[in-house]
Amino acid sequence: MERILVSACLMGRAVRFDGRAKPTDHEIFLRWREEGRLIPFCPEVVGGLPVPRPPAEIEGGRGARAVLEGRARIRTPEGRDVTAFFLAGARAALHAAREQGVRLAVLKENSPSCGVHRVFDGSFTGTRAPGAGLTTLLLRDHGIDVFSEDELPEAQARLTELEAETA
């Protein structure tokens, strides 16, 4: 059975920067939970950040690739550099995925860690920019398919393909 790495906040765990969760009750997600497929993970908490914590965004909307390459930082509204925590969390997520043989992840959109298609642009105005979060990018760079919580039917289709390959 394929296991799926998921953002812990989607499982109802209060790990977000504001101390809340963002649980999903989509039927596909609930079925995966019942099947025991889900591996909850919060890269920001595992990386060493507390709950609650100040929000953080990738500076200048430069994207996760720029962070991985050392050309951009992840900062709080006060300017505190929290890049090291995000990098540690992304690396820990990759390590956990590899240990569990994960080939598929479902992560929380808009997060500087878990954003799949969009992240906040670094202005702390609520403006989103196209691009992936740090954890998403690192997982993808290592061959793991990543979907957002809004793409569960697509994730299920990919899960079916992966399971057919190993049958």
Side-chain angles (χ1 to χ4, degrees), residues 17 53-57 74-82 122-124:
F17 77 94
R53 59 188 169 273
E57 297 183 7
I74 300 175
R75 299 191 185 276
T76 68
E78 297 76 31
R80 179 176 175 224
D81 184 346
V82 292
S123 67
F124 295 96

Side-chain angles (χ1 to χ4, degrees), residues 5 39-41 90-102 139:
L5 188 76
I39 302 168
F41 198 91
R91 290 177 182 132
L94 177 61
H95 179 75
R98 284 179 162 169
E99 277 192 333
Q100 297 289 329
V102 166
L139 293 174

Side-chain angles (χ1 to χ4, degrees), residues 74-127:
I74 300 175
R75 299 191 185 276
T76 68
E78 297 76 31
R80 179 176 175 224
D81 184 346
V82 292
T83 307
F85 298 105
F86 281 80
L87 285 168
R91 290 177 182 132
L94 177 61
H95 179 75
R98 284 179 162 169
E99 277 192 333
Q100 297 289 329
V102 166
R103 299 190 291 168
L104 181 73
V106 175
L107 303 181
K108 181 71 186 103
E109 194 65 90
N110 301 318
S111 159
S113 290
C114 298
V116 177
H117 303 290
R118 296 177 306 279
V119 294
F120 289 103
D121 73 352
S123 67
F124 295 96
T125 61
T127 305

